[in-house]
Amino acid sequence: MPCGQQESGADAARYVVGVDVGSTVVKCHVYDRAAAVRGSSSRKVESLYPRPGWVELDPEVLWSQFVGVIKEAVQAAGLHMRQVAGLGISTQRATFITWHKRTGKPFHNFISWQDVRSAELVNSWNKSLLLKAEEAARKNNCCFGTVDTWLLYRLTKGSVYATDYSNASATGVFEPFTKCWNPTLCNLLSIPISIYPPVKDTSFNFGSADSEIFGVPIPIMAVVADQQSAMFGECCFHPGDVKLTMGTGGFWNVNTGEHLFASRRGLYPLIGWKIGEEVVYLTEGCISDIGTAIKWAQDINLFTNVDETAEMARSIVDSQGVCFVPGFQVSVNDPYLCASFMGLKPSTTRNHLVRAILESVAFRNKQLYDMIVKKIRIPLQTIRADGGVSNNSFVMQMTSDLINKKIEKPVNADMSSLGAAFLAGLASGFWTDKEQLKKLRRIEVVFEPQKDSEEYKTAMDTWLQAMKCSLHW
């Protein structure tokens, strides 16, 4: 509904729901017209580890969690489902599944983006990993989809089989230059291109959820990949706008506008979103093991509450030469990188270990930022941060110092949910345009450089040396 138009009766209070199906948590928020959260719910994602290096998700469990958080969030807001003007869905990327076209029965669990079994495929071109998909494809009864495609299919009882440009571009099978599934790659993998879903706009009326699920047919007005959704939630709408998400992993995204930069070492081109005729491209660099490392440190009792870590790090002058090398997840550049602490001494305390972990996050942010500045010839604007680790003031301040840039942190760090809600709200007329969305941004704090980056040179050089020693383990 256009801004300023009067509402009445049952339509007087309408809301938009944004769901983020992440790698560790499924979150749902209900937003009002001011983009304020009126109700929320979350559930921990239950990953399966059938073999070392394999990471899977049970599709039925994920579906149950998805439906559950929506019902709980709407109930927490004190609303009825009929007051939901639109549903926006943000999902983890490149996690895929195949299922029977007619029965909807999955052929296997979701294979997570964190799964490393594909390393064997790349090294040996052993197609055994794809046998189930190939066999089903040959029988022409197979549907392939990422998490968003599966949820759309389930929400509509099989009547909608689609994905959007942001999710498609993150699969590695979709060609962002031509905006089509890549036939050459499909031939190489012996998978018919026909099994891939049609690709739709990001902010788009995908149809309605079957009324049996929520009691009323809720309109599905957006599906979007999580990092692109966070970019949209941060209102990074212009070339040069930068978003830094620090969650399970770290993701730097730069809006490159109409220009699509080719892949360069460590940086990858993506479609940010497509809305009507507008196609916005992004360049992305990623860092593994940010939230994973901090969660591991908590699990082994280096600290009790994550909120303690910034103060623990500040309680000492430096890490006393202790360095943390992240390597819980396989590195693209070195699959044999070893996670480790180096420089331990009899005087090393928990505070030194915690500070070393947090410093490693800031140092990797510095590395990736420098790479972006060198390779992407677009003037960069203020950095906008989100994700759970953005709540850590030590990491945020040190990163600001190292890159000599301001970093804005929003009031609500769940930008993927908000981005999905924004996109759904635009498609449903809940919000009018992106200028209105920019006015709804709420910044909690701005971190400004306080130290010269040279003051960190010795510590960073030591950390880089530790990284070299952990390679090729």
Side-chain angles (χ1 to χ4, degrees):
M1 181 174 292
C3 184
Q5 184 172 329
Q6 294 297 312
E7 299 174 309
S8 61
D11 294 328
R14 302 283 280 175
Y15 302 85
V16 171
V17 172
V19 187
D20 176 31
V21 183
S23 303
T24 55
V25 181
V26 181
K27 297 179 181 178
C28 179
H29 297 300
V30 179
Y31 300 92
D32 62 19
R33 288 192 188 277
V37 175
R38 300 296 294 269
S40 302
S41 177
S42 65
R43 295 190 186 183
K44 183 180 179 181
V45 171
E46 301 174 18
S47 296
L48 305 173
Y49 305 94
R51 297 185 190 178
W54 291 28
V55 187
E56 300 182 357
L57 302 173
D58 185 317
E60 294 303 324
V61 171
L62 191 66
W63 168 250
S64 176
Q65 292 176 322
F66 174 79
V67 173
V69 294
I70 294 175
K71 290 180 177 179
E72 290 165 5
V74 173
Q75 183 177 17
L79 305 176
H80 190 280
M81 286 290 180
R82 63 174 171 268
Q83 293 175 274
V84 177
L87 171 64
I89 305 170
S90 162
T91 55
Q92 57 180 282
R93 306 173 303 177
T95 295
F96 75 92
I97 193 170
T98 57
W99 66 93
H100 195 284
K101 183 182 295 185
R102 181 173 53 82
T103 67
K105 183 178 176 58
F107 292 113
H108 54 86
N109 285 334
F110 274 107
I111 308 300
S112 170
W113 65 274
Q114 299 169 299
D115 192 286
V116 298
R117 74 186 76 177
S118 61
E120 303 170 25
L121 177 65
V122 172
N123 291 332
S124 66
W125 293 105
N126 179 0
K127 297 177 183 177
S128 62
L129 299 175
L130 300 172
L131 284 180
K132 289 183 179 179
E134 287 183 29
E135 181 180 356
R138 282 195 294 268
K139 294 177 181 178
N140 198 31
N141 64 1
C142 178
C143 290
F144 168 94
T146 43
V147 175
D148 61 302
T149 307
W150 167 252
L151 292 175
L152 277 174
Y153 189 89
R154 290 296 298 267
L155 282 168
T156 61
K157 296 292 182 74
S159 66
V160 176
Y161 177 51
T163 187
D164 92 295
Y165 284 87
S166 68
N167 276 291
S169 72
T171 62
V173 187
F174 189 83
E175 176 52 67
F177 288 93
T178 61
K179 296 189 281 294
C180 295
W181 296 108
N182 189 321
T184 303
L185 188 57
C186 289
N187 287 334
L188 184 64
L189 297 174
S190 301
I191 297 178
I193 203 167
S194 60
I195 75 166
Y196 292 98
V199 184
K200 307 292 184 183
D201 283 8
T202 307
S203 181
F204 179 78
N205 187 346
F206 287 88
S208 295
D210 190 277
S211 58
E212 289 185 8
I213 300 172
F214 299 113
V216 295
I218 296 178
I220 308 164
M221 306 304 288
V223 296
V224 58
D226 56 4
Q227 296 309 316
Q228 290 95 314
S229 187
M231 191 81 170
F232 203 89
E234 291 276 24
C235 296
C236 292
F237 300 144
H238 307 291
D241 285 349
V242 183
K243 183 273 301 176
L244 165 60
T245 293
M246 292 185 287
T248 303
F251 297 87
W252 285 79
N253 293 91
V254 182
N255 184 325
T256 58
E258 299 177 353
H259 302 287
L260 182 61
F261 289 81
S263 290
R264 303 180 185 187
R265 185 176 177 85
L267 299 177
Y268 309 96
L270 292 169
I271 295 176
W273 52 83
K274 183 177 182 298
I275 305 174
E277 296 300 313
E278 179 193 48
V279 179
V280 171
Y281 294 103
L282 310 179
T283 289
E284 177 175 285
C286 63
I287 308 166
S288 64
D289 284 342
I290 287 185
T292 309
I294 293 173
K295 179 64 167 60
W296 167 80
Q298 184 176 17
D299 289 343
I300 65 168
N301 299 317
L302 285 184
F303 53 86
T304 304
N305 192 305
V306 174
D307 296 338
E308 304 171 29
T309 57
E311 190 57 38
M312 291 174 71
R314 289 196 190 94
S315 70
I316 50 179
V317 176
D318 54 40
S319 64
Q320 210 178 61
V322 176
C323 296
F324 175 71
V325 177
F328 293 118
Q329 295 173 350
V330 171
S331 166
V332 173
N333 299 321
D334 180 11
Y336 303 106
L337 177 68
C338 174
S340 56
F341 278 107
M342 293 191 183
L344 299 176
K345 306 169 184 65
S347 58
T348 298
T349 66
R350 289 191 303 164
N351 290 350
H352 292 112
L353 298 178
V354 168
R355 179 167 178 134
I357 292 172
L358 300 186
E359 285 182 342
S360 74
V361 176
F363 289 148
R364 285 182 292 163
N365 281 336
K366 166 68 171 172
Q367 279 186 314
L368 201 45
Y369 177 82
D370 286 349
M371 186 188 304
I372 290 169
V373 170
K374 181 179 179 180
K375 295 183 177 180
I376 304 299
R377 304 297 184 183
I378 295 178
L380 303 183
Q381 310 303 317
T382 300
I383 318 298
R384 297 171 183 174
D386 65 271
V389 183
S390 70
N391 293 318
N392 190 294
S393 58
F394 180 86
V395 171
M396 294 289 285
Q397 185 58 59
M398 187 172 176
T399 299
S400 175
D401 292 342
L402 284 168
I403 68 175
N404 194 33
K405 275 280 196 177
K406 293 181 181 180
I407 306 178
E408 296 178 355
K409 179 191 169 300
V411 171
N412 186 341
D414 291 337
M415 283 294 114
S416 292
S417 295
L418 181 60
F422 275 171
L423 287 158
L426 289 178
S428 63
F430 190 78
W431 290 300
T432 55
D433 53 36
K434 286 183 285 189
E435 289 303 312
Q436 183 184 8
L437 298 183
K438 286 194 283 187
K439 295 175 183 176
L440 300 177
R441 291 190 66 234
R442 297 291 180 267
I443 300 171
E444 182 179 89
V445 61
V446 178
F447 293 88
E448 299 191 35
Q450 295 181 356
K451 292 183 180 180
D452 191 296
S453 62
E454 283 298 308
E455 295 186 39
Y456 297 99
K457 186 176 187 306
T458 300
M460 188 161 183
D461 287 346
T462 303
W463 178 78
L464 289 171
Q465 186 62 37
M467 288 286 288
K468 289 180 182 178
C469 291
S470 297
L471 295 174
H472 315 301
W473 189 263

